[in-house]
Amino acid sequence: MSQRFTVSKSDGDRCSSDIQGEVNQLFEGDEPTTSGGGGAGREDAASTEVVVVMKGDNNPKESSPFINSSDVAAEKSQQYDGKNMALFEEEMDTSPMVSSLLSSLANYSNLPQGSKEHEEAENNEAESSRKKPVKAPQLGTLMGVYLPCIQNIFGVILFLRMTWLVGIGGVIGTFVIVFICCTTTMLTAISMSAIATNGVVPAGGSYYMISRSLGPEFGGAVGICFYLGTTFAGAMYILGAIELLLIYIAPKAAIFPLEGLEGAEAEAALLNNMRVYGTILLTSMATVVFVGVKYVNKLALVFLACVILSILAVYAGVIKTGIDAPDFPVCLLGNRTLVWKKFDVCAKTIESANGTVTTQLWRMFCDSPFLNATCDKYFADNNVTRVQGIPGITSGILTENLFGNYYEKGDLVAKTYVDSVEGVDDPLTNSNRYVLADITSFFTLLVGIYFPSVTGIMAGSNRSGDLRDAQKSIPIGTIAAITTTSAVYMSSVIMFGACIEGVVLRDKFGEGVNGNLVIGTLAWPSPWVIVIGSFFSTCGAGLQSLTGAPRLMQAIAKDSIVPALRIFGHGKANGEPTWSLLLTACICESGILIASLDAVAPILSMFFLMCYMFVNLACALQTLLRTPNWRPRFKFYHWALSFLGMSLCLTLMFICSWYYAIVAMVIAGSIYKYIEFAGAEKEWGDGIRGLSLSAARFALMRLEEGPPHTKNWRPQLLVLVNTDAEQNVEQPRLLSLTNQLKAGKGLTIVGTALEGTYLENSDRAQRAEQALHKLMETEKLKGFCQVTVSSNLRDATSHLLQASGLGGLRHNAVLVSWPRNWKQADEHQTWRNFIELVRETTAAHLALLVPKNIAAFPSNGERFTEGHIDVWWIVHDGGMLMLLPFLLRQHKVWRKCKMRIFTVAQMDDNSIQMKKDLTTFLYHLRIDAMVEVVEMHDSDISAYTYEKTLVMEQRSQILKQINLTKTEREREIQSITDSSRGSIRRKNPAAVTIQLSVTEDQPGGSKEEKPEEEVQLIHDNTTPTSPATPATPLTPATEGAQTPGQQVQMTWTEKCDGEPAKPPGAATPEGIKDIFNMKPEWENLNQSNVRRMHTALRLNEVIIKKSSEAKLVLLNMPGPPKNRTGDENYMEFLEVLTDGLNRVLLVRGGGREVITIYS
């Protein structure tokens, strides 16, 4: 009986451990069958089927291209026959069979609008929601893209402001505006089509495209801008509907009456009416959307029909004007347009049977109805003319309307090419009788007001989840809709200029044509067709905005890229975004309180233009970067077109309103930085990551051209840390010091080495890397971390040193902590690794920084209010000792510390001149520091120095030659020390104990002074040992730099009285001389070691004297001996040199100058 198992990603009934056991059992228990029995086995009804749940890799990235696969398809895609594909059985749990996978990909259906996006790892929805059957989308290009785009593009501006734009800007100027705006949207649509056809676009439309193309920061910023634009568009549509209602449909409904008011009072009353009615309408619309968005969708076709009928009525009216022009007279007084209100006849007087009779117009300008009445001067000097408001397309009026007429606020709307009699200094009287300009107009204002009429091109892409074939429908439908609307807009500009009188075009509210909507006067069969149709279409567009904007906000909130917006991701049980709707209504209300359509339009123009600009940028970036995944099905695009579209968008932003453009950019920039610092990290394979990669590659190639100039040198640190068994960093203060040195600048690599093989320790390496990341975040240290695994720690550290960095972006300095436990027997390898690291940094020309007592160094939260940073400049190291304190003092921890520089003068040096020269040098370096020259005269080597050297060398010899087990070594040394102690006590009972080894040095670095150690063993009259110098414990500094194969390690922890044991050849009671008879043995000592010990003791004495209270001491770090036989003494020299100091930073230069006096 053959067995088979089926892997399904959507079945969660069984725990992973049980399933894993079953899978193993399956693979282990499969018996090979003969070819003849294979078919029978597969047809066996009793065959076992095991369902295995695959949980994925817990990676918060897109880990699978399989979107919305059904259970059946998933099971089918994972079927495995134990015989035919046995070669690939190890990969079957992660790599499905291609033959069954193809059905899943081919049967892919877009997620419906409003549902979760396809990143399964990022959506923690219940699995049952994935199992719900999804109705296959059926919308085609016409119903799914073309008509929705038409409905969203045609809007309130066409009906309420297009004629006024033509009148103010002229046919030529307005045509240029329309052409530029339509070109911008067309180029944007081309870019959008390329992005939309580059793979499957789930629901989310423009926000999804931008965020996945430009990354979460740009996506969030532009998504919110698009949301604000859509919200303010809702406010604009509502204000347009209220304007239609209060001015053209029901003027009597005004709560604040306009009758009898003039100027500012009339304007304020109109604005207050707009605010009140706008708030009422907004509340009603929001309630409708809240109760059920399905009603809005059902009414969409009705609203679309209103738009199309209104436009057809205009075209019909234009045709009719060529045959029979409608009668819409305009009354002119001189060249001034009169408000056609409260008079019936456009004349001063009329002839009747009773003679000449004055008209209502006469009574408006004169104090009595009689012919001898006193009248307005301008009225008396000028004639009244009645002209046809709609002369018709064949009238030739187009030539008068070709050029613009821009007005200041309050200017009279006058007919061009008509003379009038008026004095230059005559005051304007009866201004409420004339048609006046309500705002100051200029070309850029017209652009800002018009641009919203070409927005709405995203309507098709927003419905991508409902389309049968989104990759085909979106480009065709969107470009066709833009082509159609652009043709309508451009033709309407010419038609309005050719059919309507100029003063009527410039009359925004139709006051000169008896209060009719200007575009309505052109419509056939009645102006009410346009008025009613535009009112309903505007209400419909407002409803659509209030429906779409909350869903866009909900999508942004569910992406969790803006933490502050997460609450708006919640909604009703059916997924309706309740909180987002409330936010949208509040923002929309702020637009309504502005109350002016002309003031709101530029605001939403900014946000839409910014959105379109980034769509073009996304397409251009993807094209130029040549990302392998960039394979749009739409081929008619080019990066140059995208850049042209982006440039046009940016230009239009500043043309419309430079201050609104700056505000919009500040808002977008603030959101970008907020997401960058506080948002959740997302990896969407976006173009910005690709751009960063290209820019980094270019910069790295430039860095390869040569080493950096001294002026550009800064420490690029490789920080070597150790981790414990739990992969936690043992020296966290090392990263604090790194932060204080770097201040966030330059390269920082934090590395650690692990022992073993990578295959067996990959999990440990990942945990260590995570621990390093976490600590770097805690210490606010910007940089990279790297973990290396090798068979031994020495090699792993060497690999880090050699392989870290990339190209020219490499470390030039290594920061490693002093091996604090190096004296312990089980830490014998630690100091050997340390010395080898010192040698390797020297060979690699890298600077080396070694902080001693790192636990005593300050954290980033501490502050030194006073104190000194002391620099002991003994040998020239390229200026590292000068530069490091300067960098430290840039950090707030060390900012209050003063810098002191000490240098050592020898016997033949002129210390006074040295101080002057050093002061001058620091002045040219622009470094503020106190200078002191310390004189160290030659002196005889003290007996204490000889003793220390003797003990050190004897111990080294013992550790080299005794090759015993640990127990035997301890027994042998115990016998030697006992013999030595007994011999000395017989010769001199008052002999003094000398400590050979101490435990680990404390963070403070100082050891307890032993009273018996302060007594001089040999009283030399010429070179007495200074009692102020604490006697450094004689410890095995470096237990011999033995050959790699030699494993003899020893640390003495016993105390013996007198001389330590000699090598085995002399390690007998007879072979140990009395401590008072050791001078011949001093002569046999390595004089180089004696001199080194003498230098270390003398320098330590001086440093303790001068810098014991310093907050930090920096001094040159001596190099290890070239002959490896002296390695065992090197650590002891350094220990003696730094004994008694709290915080020490040992510094070795990298062999190049790092500081210069030149600018």
Side-chain angles (χ1 to χ4, degrees):
M1 181 192 309
S2 67
Q3 293 176 323
R4 69 174 183 174
F5 71 94
T6 302
V7 178
S8 171
K9 288 188 178 180
S10 54
D11 190 345
D13 297 331
R14 315 177 75 173
C15 69
S16 58
S17 60
D18 295 338
I19 292 162
Q20 186 61 45
E22 291 180 34
V23 172
N24 294 337
Q25 198 173 17
L26 280 172
F27 284 147
E28 292 170 3
D30 265 348
E31 296 291 339
T33 60
T34 61
S35 59
R42 283 191 296 273
E43 294 170 1
D44 192 346
S47 62
T48 303
E49 181 171 319
V50 180
V51 179
V52 180
V53 180
M54 302 305 296
K55 293 294 185 184
D57 57 359
N58 293 323
N59 190 353
K61 302 178 182 179
E62 296 182 14
S63 57
S64 172
F66 318 129
I67 312 165
N68 199 31
S69 301
S70 64
D71 289 342
V72 176
E75 292 175 8
K76 191 175 179 181
S77 69
Q78 297 284 354
Q79 286 181 357
Y80 163 67
D81 189 309
K83 279 191 318 180
N84 296 338
M85 289 295 171
L87 182 61
F88 299 95
E89 63 184 20
E90 296 293 338
E91 287 84 15
M92 289 305 297
D93 56 343
T94 57
S95 304
M97 293 297 299
V98 173
S99 57
S100 53
L101 171 65
L102 290 176
S103 61
S104 300
L105 293 178
N107 293 330
Y108 169 77
S109 60
N110 290 333
L111 299 177
Q113 190 168 5
S115 67
K116 64 186 180 305
E117 292 192 20
H118 76 278
E119 290 91 344
E120 296 175 5
E122 295 177 7
N123 295 324
N124 299 321
E125 304 288 343
E127 290 190 0
S128 58
S129 65
R130 290 202 293 266
K131 294 182 179 180
K132 292 180 180 179
V134 178
K135 183 180 179 181
Q138 295 297 326
L139 292 179
T141 304
L142 181 66
M143 296 299 295
V145 181
Y146 180 77
L147 291 179
C149 284
I150 291 286
Q151 180 185 359
N152 279 267
I153 295 174
F154 287 136
V156 64
I157 301 296
L158 173 63
F159 301 120
L160 290 181
R161 293 290 183 270
M162 197 66 190
T163 54
W164 178 78
L165 290 171
V166 174
I168 296 295
V171 172
I172 295 176
T174 309
F175 190 88
V176 169
I177 292 173
V178 172
F179 180 79
I180 292 174
C181 293
C182 290
T183 302
T184 303
T185 54
M186 179 61 78
L187 293 173
T188 305
I190 292 172
S191 299
M192 185 190 71
S193 298
I195 297 173
T197 57
N198 185 50
V200 178
V201 180
S206 55
Y207 164 68
Y208 178 89
M209 289 189 295
I210 296 170
S211 62
R212 270 51 177 183
S213 295
L214 293 179
E217 294 88 359
F218 275 112
V222 178
I224 291 175
C225 285
F226 190 51
Y227 163 77
L228 291 174
T230 307
T231 304
F232 275 104
M236 184 186 74
Y237 290 131
I238 291 173
L239 289 174
I242 299 303
E243 184 177 309
L244 285 164
L245 177 69
L246 293 179
I247 295 179
Y248 305 111
I249 299 176
K252 301 292 184 183
I255 297 175
F256 300 91
L258 302 176
E259 295 294 331
L261 299 180
E262 296 184 16
E265 294 180 352
E267 183 180 357
L270 176 62
L271 295 181
N272 288 331
N273 283 320
M274 302 278 281
R275 292 185 180 107
V276 172
Y277 276 100
T279 304
I280 295 171
L281 185 57
L282 171 63
T283 307
S284 306
M285 287 183 173
T287 305
V288 170
V289 173
F290 177 77
V291 170
V293 71
K294 59 182 179 181
Y295 302 112
V296 177
N297 293 331
K298 287 180 179 179
L299 290 173
L301 286 176
V302 176
F303 297 141
L304 177 61
C306 292
V307 173
I308 295 175
L309 286 175
S310 300
I311 294 172
L312 291 177
V314 172
Y315 275 95
V318 170
I319 295 172
K320 185 176 181 301
T321 61
I323 303 169
D324 181 20
D327 185 27
F328 280 100
V330 178
C331 192
L332 300 178
L333 177 59
N335 62 356
R336 300 178 181 178
T337 310
L338 294 172
V339 176
W340 197 297
K341 190 186 295 182
K342 296 183 180 178
F343 68 90
D344 51 357
V345 179
C346 182
K348 295 182 180 180
T349 58
I350 55 174
E351 298 294 332
S352 66
N354 297 326
T356 303
V357 179
T358 58
T359 62
Q360 293 176 338
L361 183 61
W362 177 280
R363 300 185 186 102
M364 293 168 60
F365 287 91
C366 301
D367 56 1
S368 71
F370 304 109
L371 292 173
N372 59 353
T374 302
C375 295
D376 180 87
K377 186 176 187 304
Y378 186 84
F379 180 78
D381 293 343
N382 291 275
N383 295 323
V384 175
T385 310
R386 183 178 184 272
V387 297
Q388 190 57 255
I390 311 291
I393 196 169
T394 58
S395 63
I397 197 72
L398 178 64
T399 55
E400 294 184 14
N401 295 329
L402 282 179
F403 303 102
N405 294 273
Y406 296 100
Y407 293 130
E408 294 288 333
K409 184 177 180 179
D411 283 357
L412 295 164
V413 176
K415 182 174 173 59
T416 54
Y417 311 116
V418 174
D419 295 331
S420 67
V421 179
E422 59 181 316
V424 177
D425 298 327
D426 290 347
L428 178 64
T429 54
N430 294 299
S431 59
N432 61 327
R433 312 298 186 198
Y434 304 110
V435 177
L436 305 176
D438 65 324
I439 59 172
T440 300
S441 54
F442 40 89
F443 181 80
T444 57
L445 173 73
L446 303 187
V447 177
I449 292 175
Y450 172 73
F451 189 80
S453 64
V454 296
T455 61
I457 62 174
M458 302 286 189
S461 63
N462 289 340
R463 295 167 176 255
S464 57
D466 301 324
L467 299 175
R468 189 184 304 116
D469 185 357
Q471 295 194 24
K472 176 184 177 184
S473 299
I474 289 177
I476 296 175
T478 305
I479 293 175
I482 293 176
T483 304
T484 304
T485 54
S486 299
V488 170
Y489 281 132
M490 292 179 186
S491 61
S492 64
V493 169
I494 298 173
M495 289 189 305
F496 295 159
C499 295
I500 305 176
E501 172 61 46
V503 291
V504 178
L505 288 174
R506 294 187 285 279
D507 183 2
K508 183 184 290 185
F509 302 111
E511 295 171 307
V513 285
N514 209 9
N516 282 298
L517 181 63
V518 174
I519 194 174
T521 60
L522 191 61
W524 179 87
S526 168
W528 286 101
V529 175
I530 291 285
V531 174
I532 302 299
S534 58
F535 177 77
F536 281 112
S537 68
T538 347
C539 290
L543 278 173
Q544 292 285 357
S545 296
L546 289 178
T547 304
R551 278 158 180 73
L552 180 59
M553 173 54 67
Q554 187 182 42
I556 297 172
K558 282 189 174 182
D559 261 344
S560 299
I561 58 174
V562 184
L565 299 179
R566 284 174 185 159
I567 186 176
F568 298 109
H570 305 296
K572 294 194 292 188
N574 60 353
E576 292 298 316
T578 309
W579 289 104
S580 297
L581 177 61
L582 183 62
L583 175 68
T584 302
C586 293
I587 297 175
C588 196
E589 176 64 20
S590 68
I592 287 172
L593 292 178
I594 296 175
S596 171
L597 184 70
D598 302 321
V600 172
I603 297 176
L604 65 101
S605 293
M606 291 302 113
F607 293 122
F608 278 120
L609 279 167
M610 184 165 289
C611 178
Y612 297 164
M613 179 175 71
F614 282 104
V615 169
N616 285 297
L617 175 62
C619 180
L621 268 184
Q622 298 277 28
T623 307
L624 289 175
L625 292 175
R626 297 178 182 177
T627 312
N629 191 53
W630 179 247
R631 302 184 300 273
R633 190 174 298 276
F634 179 79
K635 301 299 182 184
F636 304 100
Y637 70 93
H638 193 271
W639 64 266
L641 294 177
S642 299
F643 265 118
L644 178 59
M646 184 180 69
S647 304
L648 281 174
C649 289
L650 187 62
T651 305
L652 286 175
M653 284 178 66
F654 283 92
I655 285 178
C656 293
S657 173
W658 64 267
Y659 45 90
Y660 279 158
I662 292 174
V663 170
M665 287 182 168
V666 168
I667 292 173
S670 303
I671 297 169
Y672 178 95
K673 298 305 291 184
Y674 176 72
I675 296 173
E676 186 179 42
F677 286 107
E681 291 187 3
K682 303 282 182 181
E683 174 55 80
W684 287 329
D686 50 85
I688 292 298
R689 294 295 177 96
L691 179 62
S692 301
L693 194 62
S694 295
R697 174 185 168 276
F698 176 77
L700 285 173
M701 297 300 290
R702 289 291 302 274
L703 285 176
E704 280 286 280
E705 294 176 2
H709 192 274
T710 302
K711 290 187 288 186
N712 295 327
W713 195 96
R714 66 169 65 248
Q716 318 281 13
L717 290 179
L718 170 62
V719 187
L720 299 178
V721 298
N722 296 326
T723 55
D724 56 20
E726 301 298 325
Q727 311 309 323
N728 295 319
V729 178
E730 291 181 349
Q731 309 103 347
R733 289 292 171 88
L734 205 57
L735 268 66
S736 302
L737 176 61
T738 305
N739 188 26
Q740 293 158 25
L741 272 171
K742 301 292 293 180
K745 308 296 183 185
L747 172 71
T748 303
I749 303 174
V750 181
T752 188
L754 298 180
E755 192 170 7
T757 62
Y758 184 75
L759 288 178
E760 297 174 355
N761 294 276
S762 57
D763 292 340
R764 281 181 60 208
Q766 287 183 359
R767 290 198 303 272
E769 189 170 354
Q770 291 171 1
L772 292 181
H773 268 302
K774 185 176 180 181
L775 184 59
M776 290 172 71
E777 289 178 3
T778 303
E779 297 292 341
K780 297 181 179 178
L781 180 63
K782 295 186 180 299
F784 310 97
C785 60
Q786 190 167 346
V787 179
T788 303
V789 184
S790 188
S791 56
N792 59 75
L793 292 179
R794 174 82 286 281
D795 289 345
T797 306
S798 180
H799 296 160
L800 270 176
L801 200 69
Q802 298 175 59
S804 295
L806 179 65
L809 191 65
R810 291 179 52 83
H811 54 278
N812 54 26
V814 177
L815 177 64
V816 62
S817 179
W818 175 263
R820 58 179 183 174
N821 298 330
W822 66 272
K823 298 175 184 177
Q824 296 182 1
D826 55 352
E827 295 287 337
H828 64 274
Q829 194 64 34
T830 304
W831 61 267
R832 283 200 179 91
N833 292 346
F834 177 76
I835 294 176
E836 287 301 306
L837 178 65
V838 176
R839 286 195 171 100
E840 287 185 353
T841 54
T842 304
H845 302 291
L846 301 175
L848 179 64
L849 314 178
V850 182
K852 194 167 181 283
N853 305 326
I854 187 63
F857 276 67
S859 66
N860 290 327
E862 298 180 38
R863 303 285 187 278
F864 288 131
T865 56
E866 58 182 0
H868 295 93
I869 299 177
D870 285 358
V871 176
W872 284 84
W873 193 19
I874 300 167
V875 295
H876 182 57
D877 57 355
M880 282 288 290
L881 284 173
M882 308 292 179
L883 187 62
L884 292 177
F886 171 78
L887 294 175
L888 281 174
R889 292 183 66 236
Q890 306 304 307
H891 196 275
K892 53 192 174 184
V893 173
W894 305 92
R895 191 165 293 153
K896 299 290 182 67
C897 294
K898 297 184 182 302
M899 183 174 165
R900 296 190 301 190
I901 295 183
F902 298 89
T903 189
V904 177
Q906 299 298 322
M907 195 69 176
D908 299 332
D909 295 329
N910 184 343
S911 56
I912 297 176
Q913 187 62 38
M914 282 180 64
K915 184 173 182 178
K916 288 182 179 178
D917 293 342
L918 183 54
T919 304
T920 305
F921 180 57
L922 292 177
Y923 174 79
H924 288 306
L925 288 177
R926 290 90 65 201
I927 292 177
D928 184 20
M930 293 180 287
V931 175
E932 186 170 343
V933 177
V934 178
E935 297 182 354
M936 286 184 62
H937 301 298
D938 290 342
S939 62
D940 293 334
I941 299 174
S942 66
Y944 182 64
T945 303
Y946 278 111
E947 292 157 11
K948 237 174 158 42
T949 309
L950 179 63
V951 171
M952 180 178 67
E953 289 193 357
Q954 288 176 339
R955 183 191 59 241
S956 300
Q957 292 298 322
I958 291 173
L959 298 180
K960 279 185 177 183
Q961 298 177 19
I962 296 180
N963 190 11
L964 307 172
T965 65
K966 182 176 181 182
T967 306
E968 290 172 327
R969 288 202 304 268
E970 290 177 354
R971 190 181 301 117
E972 176 73 18
I973 292 173
Q974 185 64 45
S975 66
I976 293 171
T977 54
D978 288 345
S979 300
S980 174
R981 186 181 298 114
S983 173
I984 293 174
R985 281 179 176 168
R986 284 194 301 272
K987 297 272 183 116
N988 182 18
V992 181
T993 299
I994 297 176
Q995 181 184 352
L996 293 181
S997 179
V998 295
T999 56
E1000 172 190 348
D1001 56 335
Q1002 300 300 316
S1006 61
K1007 323 285 189 294
E1008 294 182 4
E1009 297 181 359
K1010 304 298 181 185
E1012 52 269 281
E1013 290 177 353
E1014 294 178 359
V1015 181
Q1016 291 302 312
L1017 299 179
I1018 294 178
H1019 302 280
D1020 191 327
N1021 293 331
T1022 58
T1023 57
T1025 304
S1026 172
T1029 305
T1032 304
L1034 304 184
T1035 59
T1038 58
E1039 289 110 275
Q1042 299 154 0
T1043 59
Q1046 197 171 4
Q1047 297 299 324
V1048 179
Q1049 292 302 324
M1050 190 61 232
T1051 301
W1052 288 12
T1053 56
E1054 300 289 338
K1055 290 184 179 180
C1056 66
D1057 294 78
E1059 179 191 355
K1062 294 285 282 183
T1068 62
E1070 295 78 16
I1072 305 295
K1073 295 188 177 182
D1074 188 275
I1075 193 161
F1076 294 103
N1077 300 313
M1078 289 173 62
K1079 284 199 173 183
E1081 294 195 3
W1082 292 356
E1083 296 173 0
N1084 296 328
L1085 291 175
N1086 186 323
Q1087 293 303 306
S1088 174
N1089 287 342
V1090 174
R1091 290 195 306 272
R1092 289 169 187 266
M1093 185 65 73
H1094 178 65
T1095 304
L1097 284 170
R1098 290 297 310 278
L1099 275 175
N1100 178 258
E1101 178 185 348
V1102 174
I1103 294 172
I1104 288 289
K1105 182 179 178 181
K1106 297 287 186 180
S1107 302
S1108 58
E1109 300 298 325
K1111 300 299 182 185
L1112 177 64
V1113 176
L1114 290 90
L1115 72 157
N1116 294 108
M1117 180 180 180
K1122 295 180 180 179
N1123 186 358
R1124 293 179 183 272
T1125 56
D1127 282 357
E1128 60 272 10
N1129 306 322
Y1130 178 63
M1131 297 291 280
E1132 184 69 34
F1133 292 141
L1134 295 182
E1135 195 73 65
V1136 170
L1137 179 63
T1138 59
D1139 184 33
L1141 298 173
N1142 187 17
R1143 302 184 192 92
V1144 183
L1145 184 60
L1146 298 169
V1147 180
R1148 276 183 65 76
R1152 62 160 294 165
E1153 293 293 331
V1154 300
I1155 195 166
T1156 178
I1157 63 174
Y1158 299 106
S1159 61

